[in-house]
Amino acid sequence: MKKKQLALAVAAALVSSVALTAEPGTEEAISEVVVLGIKKSLIDAIEIKRNNVGVMEAISAEDFGKFPDGNLAESLARVPGIAIDRSNVEGQTIAVRGFGPEFNLVTLNGRQMPTNPGRYGGGRSFNFGDIASPGVAAVEVFKSGNITLPSGGIGSTVNMVTTKPLNVDGTLTSFSIAGVEDTTSEEGGLPIETSLLFATNQDHWGFSVSASYQERTNRETGTRESNWIIPAGDSAHEGNRIPSTAVITNNSLRDDDVTFYQEPTAYLIKDNDRTRTNVQTTFQLMVTENLTATVDYTYSGVEFESEGTMFGPWLGGWTTEQATINANGVYTDVVVGDRGYDHTVTWGDSKSSNNSYGLNLVWDLSDSWQIEFDAHNSTAKLAGNIFDNEMGVTSPTDTVTHTNGGTSGIQSFAFDRDFTAADMQVSNLVMNDEAQVNEIEQYQLKVNWTNPDAGFVRAVNMGLSTSDNQFNRIKRNAGFAPGERYGADAFDDALFQRTLLDGDFMDSFSFTPGTNYYFEVDAAAAFNAYAALAAGLVDNADGAVCCGAGGIDSNERVREELDSAFIQVQMAADIGRMPLNIVAGLRYEGVDTTSTSLYPLVNQIGWGIDGLYGIRGDVTDGSRYGSHSTVLPAINMSLGLDDNQVVRLSWGKSMARPNLGDLESQLNIGAQDFFSLTATGGNPDLNPLMSTNLDISYENYYDEGSYLAVNYFRKEIKDFIGSQTTRDQPFNGLTNPYAGEIGQQAQEIVDAWVAAGQPWDTLGNPDFGVLQGFIWGQRGAGWPIEQHYVTAAAMMLANGFDNTLTFDTLNGAAVSTCSGNTLPNGAPGNPYYLCQDPLLGQSTDPVALFDITQPYNMEKGRVSGWEFAWQHLFQGTPYGFTFNYTLVSGGNVEPDRADVGRQFILPGLGDSGNASVFYEDDKHTLRLALNHRAETAAGFANYDQPVFVEERNQVDFSYQFRYSENTTVFFDAMNILDEETRLYVRHPEMLFLAQDHGPVYKLGLRTSF
C-alpha cells in the first residue's frame, strides 16, 4: 500500500507542477502551441482511420524513432477493442473483441510472420515482446475484412509497418538510452535499453537501419499453479481421496454433491533475466522512374534465463484429518497429516530468434496500372528450456493446516513442527530440452487498376499468393527418481539455506503466510550432489541415463501449403450530397496439411510404483494428411453524412487456422490416477474456424484531432476447436498388466486391507499379508496411497511371495530386500517390491483400453459487443484525453461455472477499456494512462477446471522534457499502483495462480540529428 501511495503522489505532483508552470496566460501564448508528440500521433492515426472504408484503427509514431510506447503491445492496449496479456508487467500478446491471441493474425508489411507456440500456445499467436518499437512507423488494426491481406484473423488482422527510407525527408538519425529499474529485481546494477534509428533518402535510393538492445531483470513472487481435483470423481479405480475418518463440516449447496479440493498449496519466488535484441534494415532503389525495388531484413532475438523455487506441501487429500466445505462445494480450510515441506527448484535458459528476408517490387505500368511482387522467407526459432528443469526437495512429514484465502486473497499453510536444513533432501530430477522452428516462405503478386476517369468503379485490385509454412518441434525429457530416496544425511546442509519471507513478499495482496520461511537452494550445487548419487540411474520410459534430457522423445513436423487468390473492387458514388464508398471482394483459400511424427512407438504397457506407463520401442515416422478450401466474401461501406460524420457498414467472412500444436499427429500414452490409460494427440484434418462478421459504426470527427465513435459488432462462428474423448479404445494391440490376474488379485488384497482398517501388522493374515514389507518400509513416510499398495502387492505376487505365510513361518526366512535385510525384524533399508523390474503387459493379459483425446471441430457460437471511443484535444490548450471501452457478450461461449467436465470456452472473452489524460506543450509532455481489463475467461486448468483472470487495472505514467529541439529527457513508470494478477478456477476462492510484479521505472535520453 505504501508503494501505491508514494507512486501516485509522485505522478500527481509532476502533473500538477508542470501544468501550473505552463498555463498559457495570453492569446499569443495559446497561438504558439505546436502539434507534435502525442498530438501528432493521434492526429495521424485519425486520418488513417477516417480515410479507410472498413472498420480499423491505427497507431502512428510520435516522431522519427519514437513510438507512443516502448512496447508495441502497450501501444495497442490503447486501441478500442484490444486488451493485452502481460508477462512480468510487459505486454506480450493481444486479445481483440474477446478473441485471444491465437485468433488474431499479425503481419509485417503485409506478410504473414512465423511464430512458435512456446510453453502452452498453439503456434499462431504473435509475441509482441519479441519486437522493439523504434523501427516501426505505424501499426494498422483491421477489424473488418481486408481480403488483400493474408487470412487468419477472426478478431483482427494487425499489420506492422516499418520505416521506408524513400518516405523520409533527407537524412535523419535518432538515438536513445535509458536505465531500467524494476522494483522487484534482486540483481545489482542498472539494466539498460538503447536504440538507434538511421534513415536517408537520396532521391533515387534510400537506406534505413534500426537497432535496439534491452536488458531486464525482475523477481516474480506469487503462488504456484494449483490443481483442483474432484476427490470422489478422479477415477473409478481410485475412489474418494478423502478418508472416511476425516472430520468434515459440509456446507455445500450443490445438488450433485460434487466437491473441489486443492492439491498443492505453495508459493513461488523466481528470478528472471531477459535480453532482447532487434535489427531492422531496408534498402530502396528506384530502378527506373516507374520501378521501385525494396530489400529488407528483420531480426529479433530474446534470451531468457530464470531460476526459482516453489515451496509448500502437496495436500493430495488422502490423509485429510479435518476439513470445511463451503456453499460452492469447495474445501477451504483443511488439516492434513503426513505432509512434507516440499520444494521444487526450477531453472531454465531459452533463446528465441526471428529472421525475415524480403523483396518487394512495385512497377507503375501507367497512370492506371500497377504491378506489385512481394516475396519473403521468415523463420522463428525457440530452443532450450521451454519447460524448466525441476529438482524436487522434500522433508520428513508432519501435520499441516491449510487456510483458504477467500474470494480475493491468498492461501496460507502452517506445519505443526519447524524444519531445518538438516531435514531436507533432494528427491528427484526432471530434465527438459526442446527446439521449435517455424519457417514461412511466401510469394505474392498483386495487380492494381485505378480508373483515370473516376467513375463509379474507382479501382480494381487482384492478387495471387502461395506460401509454404513448416513447423518442427523436437522434445527431449527425462525424469530420475531412485527406488528409495537417498536420505537427508546424503546432502550437505549448506545446500539448503533457511530464508525468512520478508514484508515485501507478495505485499500487494496484504496477507501473512502461515509458514514464514523457505529453503533457498543452490541449484547448481544441489544438482551436482544429486548427480553424484544418481549416476547410472535410468528413466524407465526411454532409457535415458541420469542426468541429462536424453535422446529425442518426439519429432513433430507440420507442413501447410497454402494457395490463395483475391479480387476486390472499389466503388464510389454520391447519395444526395453524401459520399458513399464501397469496397467489395472475394478471397479464395486452399490448404494442404501434412503432419509427420518421428517418435518411439509404445509397444508395451509397464506398471511401476507411479502406475501404468508406455514403454517405448522402435522409432517410427508416420504421416497423416488433411486439406480444405474456402471462399471469403467481404463488403465494406462508408457513408459521409456531412463533413464530420461517417457511418460504416461491414459484412464478410473470416477464418482462423487451427493451432500448429493441434495439427500434430503423435499420440502420447499416459495414465490418469495410476490405472486409467489415456492417449492424447493432434488432428491434422482440422478445418479452419469460420466466422461471419457484421460491423455497424458511427464516427463524428467534430474537431481537429477529436472524434466520437460507437461501433456494434457481431460474429457468428462455427468449427471452434474443442476436445473430444473416445472412451475404452484399443491401441496398437497393447495389453494391460493391471487388468490381468495378478493386478486384480492385488486390488482385491488392498480392498480387503482397507476394509479391515489398514492394520499395521498383516503377517499371519492370508488375505493381505503380502503387504507387510511395503507397510513396514514406507507407511511411516506418509506418501503412499492405495494405488501404491496395489502396486506393492502385485510386485510381491509376481515374484512368488506366498501370501499364506504367517509371521512365525516368515520370521528369518530368506525373503530379502535390496539391502539384504529380511522382511520382518526391523525396518528394511529398501522395501522388497522396489527391487523388482516393472510389471509388463503380457499376451495373456486383457487388451488395454484407452481414453483417446484429440481436438475436433465441434463447437459454434456467437460473440457480439459494443465499442465506444472518445478522443478530445482541447483546442488552444496543451490538454487532451482519450477514452475507449469495449463490452463483449459471449452467450454460448461463456463458461458455466457449475458444470463439471469439459466444456467450450473462448480464451480472451471479457470486457476491456483504456483512458488517458495528457498535457503537451513545446517543452513538456505528460501522460497518465489507465488500462482496464475486466474478468476474462482464460481456458482450462487440470481436471477440466475453467480458469478466469480477475479484473486488472494497470496505471502508467510518462513524462518528457524537451531540453532542445533535438534532445529529450524522458521518464516512464509502468504499473505505478503495483497492481497484482490473480487467476482462479470456477469460483474466486479456488485460487489457481497469483503474481505480484511491482512497478517498473525508466529514465533516459533521446536525441535526433
Side-chain angles (χ1 to χ4, degrees):
M1 183 62 69
K2 289 181 180 179
K3 285 192 290 185
K4 290 186 178 182
Q5 292 172 343
L6 177 61
L8 190 58
V10 170
L14 283 169
V15 171
S16 60
S17 63
V18 174
L20 287 172
T21 58
E23 182 179 356
T26 65
E27 293 184 3
E28 288 77 15
I30 294 176
S31 67
E32 292 176 0
V33 174
V34 179
V35 177
L36 43 71
I38 292 177
K39 292 183 179 179
K40 177 182 182 299
S41 173
L42 295 177
I43 291 172
D44 289 347
I46 278 183
E47 288 306 307
I48 297 173
K49 174 183 177 69
R50 187 173 184 174
N51 293 328
N52 197 279
V53 177
V55 179
M56 63 93 64
E57 312 288 344
I59 308 170
S60 295
E62 295 179 6
D63 198 356
F64 182 74
K66 173 63 177 76
F67 216 66
D69 297 271
N71 178 289
L72 291 178
E74 297 293 340
S75 293
L76 285 167
R78 316 199 191 287
V79 170
I82 294 184
I84 65 173
D85 295 317
R86 289 183 168 90
S87 176
N88 300 319
V89 181
E90 282 193 315
Q92 282 199 341
T93 57
I94 62 171
V96 182
R97 293 176 165 180
F99 288 84
E102 60 269 36
F103 301 109
N104 297 287
L105 178 69
V106 177
T107 61
L108 180 67
N109 296 321
R111 302 163 178 164
Q112 184 176 349
M113 288 290 102
T115 60
N116 280 305
R119 179 170 292 189
Y120 298 114
R124 302 289 188 184
S125 57
F126 185 83
N127 186 349
F128 287 93
D130 290 343
I131 300 293
S133 63
V136 177
V139 177
E140 304 165 331
V141 182
F142 296 93
K143 297 177 181 177
S144 60
N146 186 332
I147 65 172
T148 66
L149 291 173
S151 63
I154 286 181
S156 70
T157 298
V158 179
N159 184 40
M160 299 179 291
V161 182
T162 57
T163 301
K164 299 297 187 291
L166 289 182
N167 294 336
V168 172
D169 293 330
T171 300
L172 298 174
T173 304
S174 174
F175 172 77
S176 71
I177 186 168
V180 182
E181 173 64 24
D182 189 309
T183 57
T184 67
S185 178
E186 297 292 315
E187 297 291 325
L190 187 68
I192 65 167
E193 294 186 358
T194 183
S195 66
L196 172 69
L197 178 57
F198 169 82
T200 183
N201 182 350
Q202 299 296 323
D203 294 331
H204 67 285
W205 67 272
F207 174 76
S208 68
V209 60
S210 66
S212 66
Y213 175 84
Q214 299 178 342
E215 296 176 348
R216 172 88 181 278
T217 60
N218 76 296
R219 166 165 285 192
E220 290 182 57
T221 58
T223 65
R224 70 165 291 169
E225 294 181 358
S226 293
N227 303 323
W228 285 83
I229 63 170
I230 300 174
D234 288 341
S235 166
H237 305 300
E238 184 171 352
N240 198 326
R241 285 196 187 186
I242 310 303
S244 59
T245 56
V247 178
I248 298 176
T249 302
N250 191 344
N251 301 309
S252 177
L253 299 179
R254 290 183 64 100
D255 295 331
D256 56 8
D257 295 326
V258 169
T259 57
F260 308 101
Y261 191 103
Q262 185 173 353
E263 277 191 308
T265 175
Y267 306 130
L268 165 72
I269 295 177
K270 189 176 185 180
D271 292 312
N272 301 315
D273 189 339
R274 188 264 289 158
T275 302
R276 180 169 65 194
T277 307
N278 280 240
V279 177
Q280 205 281 327
T281 182
T282 302
F283 175 75
Q284 290 188 290
L285 175 66
M286 295 184 63
V287 182
T288 68
E289 184 178 348
N290 299 320
L291 176 62
T292 302
T294 302
V295 179
D296 60 83
Y297 169 70
T298 301
Y299 166 82
S300 67
V302 176
E303 182 172 0
F304 186 82
E305 298 179 5
S306 67
E307 184 174 325
T309 304
M310 295 183 288
F311 49 97
W314 190 273
L315 299 176
W318 305 284
T319 56
T320 301
E321 298 173 357
Q322 301 175 38
T324 300
I325 303 173
N326 72 4
N328 290 323
V330 179
Y331 280 83
T332 54
D333 303 338
V334 298
V335 178
V336 187
D338 294 331
R339 298 295 95 186
Y341 194 6
D342 299 325
H343 287 54
T344 301
V345 181
T346 66
W347 70 97
D349 184 357
S350 64
K351 297 180 180 179
S352 65
S353 63
N354 296 271
N355 289 272
S356 179
Y357 302 86
L359 170 67
N360 181 272
L361 300 174
V362 178
W363 187 10
D364 294 318
L365 299 177
S366 66
D367 292 339
S368 300
W369 290 92
Q370 181 190 77
I371 296 178
E372 179 180 358
F373 172 77
D374 190 89
H376 78 101
N377 181 278
S378 302
T379 304
K381 297 180 179 180
L382 177 60
N385 293 115
I386 298 172
F387 286 89
D388 288 340
N389 301 312
E390 296 185 355
M391 183 164 50
V393 176
T394 192
S395 72
T397 63
D398 210 311
T399 300
V400 64
T401 299
H402 162 87
T403 304
N404 187 277
T407 58
S408 61
I410 306 299
Q411 80 272 355
S412 66
F413 57 86
F415 284 93
D416 282 1
R417 61 164 290 178
D418 201 43
F419 295 99
T420 67
D423 296 318
M424 310 307 290
Q425 60 170 301
V426 179
S427 57
N428 67 290
L429 179 68
V430 176
M431 300 297 292
N432 294 297
D433 185 41
E434 189 169 333
Q436 301 176 4
V437 179
N438 184 198
E439 180 179 5
I440 295 179
E441 189 173 283
Q442 182 181 29
Y443 300 93
Q444 300 180 79
L445 178 66
K446 298 179 181 179
V447 178
N448 303 311
W449 174 78
T450 303
N451 188 347
D453 299 325
F456 174 67
V457 176
R458 298 296 175 90
V460 178
N461 313 109
M462 300 167 284
L464 300 172
S465 174
T466 182
S467 66
D468 187 358
N469 186 349
Q470 299 188 54
F471 172 70
N472 181 210
R473 173 166 30 201
I474 297 174
K475 290 184 178 180
R476 297 177 176 86
N477 168 273
F480 306 99
E484 183 182 3
R485 294 166 181 166
Y486 298 115
D489 292 341
F491 298 92
D492 189 341
D493 293 351
L495 294 174
F496 315 106
Q497 297 295 318
R498 178 167 160 144
T499 305
L500 291 177
L501 297 173
D502 58 28
D504 289 336
F505 180 72
M506 297 183 68
D507 60 341
S508 63
F509 289 96
S510 301
F511 91 110
T512 302
T515 301
N516 67 345
Y517 65 92
Y518 74 106
F519 291 92
E520 187 173 347
V521 181
D522 185 330
F527 174 86
N528 291 334
Y530 186 81
L533 293 169
L537 199 63
V538 175
D539 179 356
N540 287 330
D542 63 1
V545 179
C546 191
C547 290
I552 294 176
D553 292 314
S554 67
N555 185 349
E556 292 280 356
R557 286 147 289 163
V558 176
R559 183 175 187 178
E560 288 182 331
E561 296 172 283
L562 174 66
D563 295 317
S564 61
F566 74 85
I567 182 169
Q568 175 177 275
V569 181
Q570 301 179 39
M571 295 157 280
D574 290 327
I575 300 178
R577 295 184 177 181
M578 299 183 295
L580 173 67
N581 292 284
I582 303 172
V583 177
L586 295 170
R587 186 179 183 93
Y588 165 81
E589 298 270 357
V591 64
D592 294 318
T593 303
T594 303
S595 178
T596 305
S597 295
L598 176 68
Y599 66 102
L601 186 66
V602 172
N603 59 13
Q604 202 166 25
I605 298 297
W607 182 4
I609 190 59
D610 290 322
L612 302 176
Y613 62 93
I615 296 177
R616 299 166 186 166
D618 296 333
V619 173
T620 183
D621 199 4
S623 296
R624 296 162 66 190
Y625 304 92
S627 64
H628 61 81
S629 61
T630 188
V631 175
L632 304 173
I635 181 168
N636 298 296
M637 297 183 288
S638 67
L639 179 66
L641 303 180
D642 55 30
D643 291 342
N644 298 326
Q645 301 179 84
V646 179
V647 175
R648 303 183 194 275
L649 173 66
S650 297
W651 178 91
K653 294 187 176 183
S654 58
M655 60 180 286
R657 295 187 182 85
N659 291 332
L660 292 170
D662 287 339
L663 297 173
E664 295 176 349
S665 61
Q666 177 179 344
L667 285 177
N668 298 301
I669 302 300
Q672 181 178 350
D673 302 320
F674 290 80
F675 302 133
S676 299
L677 288 166
T678 62
T680 59
N683 180 1
D685 199 27
L686 290 171
N687 291 323
L689 288 73
M690 302 298 300
S691 177
T692 301
N693 313 307
L694 175 67
D695 277 87
I696 304 173
S697 71
Y698 166 78
E699 300 160 11
N700 186 345
Y701 300 89
Y702 59 87
D703 207 342
E704 183 183 18
S706 300
Y707 79 101
L708 279 167
V710 179
N711 181 34
Y712 170 78
F713 62 89
R714 188 183 71 195
K715 297 178 181 292
E716 300 278 355
I717 306 155
K718 68 175 184 178
D719 284 337
F720 268 122
I721 295 173
S723 180
Q724 186 177 67
T725 299
T726 307
R727 306 288 181 183
D728 297 330
Q729 298 297 303
F731 178 75
N732 200 34
L734 298 174
T735 59
N736 185 347
Y738 169 76
E741 181 180 353
I742 288 178
Q744 293 307 294
Q745 184 182 354
Q747 183 68 61
E748 292 172 1
I749 289 171
V750 174
D751 289 344
W753 176 67
V754 171
Q758 302 182 3
W760 176 261
D761 186 357
T762 66
L763 287 176
N765 188 323
D767 292 328
F768 38 79
V770 69
L771 294 173
Q772 188 65 73
F774 182 71
I775 292 173
W776 286 1
Q778 292 294 336
R779 193 182 189 193
W783 60 269
I785 60 174
E786 290 180 22
Q787 288 86 341
H788 293 127
Y789 288 99
V790 173
T791 302
M795 288 187 171
M796 295 291 270
L797 291 171
N799 284 275
F801 186 91
D802 185 355
N803 197 40
T804 64
L805 291 175
T806 65
F807 183 90
D808 292 333
T809 58
L810 182 61
N811 189 24
V815 181
S816 299
T817 67
C818 299
S819 60
N821 297 326
T822 53
L823 284 175
N825 300 329
N830 285 308
Y832 178 72
Y833 83 96
L834 289 176
C835 304
Q836 313 308 317
D837 293 329
L839 301 179
L840 303 177
Q842 305 297 323
S843 59
T844 55
D845 289 328
V847 172
L849 298 178
F850 294 81
D851 291 345
I852 300 177
T853 302
Q854 294 176 282
Y856 283 88
N857 297 106
M858 55 188 300
E859 306 288 355
K860 63 181 180 178
R862 171 186 292 180
V863 175
S864 61
W866 292 86
E867 291 175 344
F868 304 93
W870 186 14
Q871 177 176 303
H872 184 76
L873 304 183
F874 292 94
Q875 296 300 318
T877 80
Y879 297 99
F881 69 82
T882 64
F883 168 83
N884 64 75
Y885 201 87
T886 302
L887 296 168
V888 181
S889 173
N892 56 353
V893 302
E894 294 182 6
D896 183 347
R897 297 169 190 265
D899 187 27
V900 174
R902 197 74 173 182
Q903 56 179 304
F904 176 54
I905 288 181
L906 177 60
L909 186 69
D911 301 341
S912 62
N914 302 276
S916 65
V917 294
F918 60 87
Y919 172 98
E920 185 170 65
D921 62 21
D922 58 348
K923 282 291 185 181
H924 308 278
T925 297
L926 298 97
R927 182 179 65 183
L928 188 66
L930 167 68
N931 176 243
H932 165 80
R933 192 165 188 188
E935 184 175 275
T936 304
F940 280 102
N942 288 344
Y943 305 105
D944 294 335
Q945 302 286 11
V947 179
F948 301 87
V949 183
E950 286 191 352
E951 176 183 323
R952 192 170 189 272
N953 297 285
Q954 178 166 315
V955 177
D956 301 329
F957 171 77
S958 65
Y959 169 67
Q960 299 178 49
F961 172 69
R962 279 173 284 280
Y963 176 77
S964 67
E965 183 178 355
N966 298 323
T967 302
T968 300
V969 177
F970 62 90
F971 171 73
D972 295 331
M974 296 183 293
N975 194 27
I976 60 176
L977 297 187
D978 193 13
E979 183 75 353
E980 67 273 2
T981 299
R982 189 178 189 273
L983 290 78
Y984 67 87
V985 300
R986 200 173 296 276
H987 301 293
E989 65 269 29
M990 297 174 67
L991 179 66
F992 175 70
L993 176 69
Q995 295 176 325
D996 183 8
H997 293 300
V1000 177
Y1001 303 106
K1002 298 179 185 179
L1003 178 63
L1005 177 74
R1006 182 182 303 108
T1007 184
S1008 59
F1009 46 90

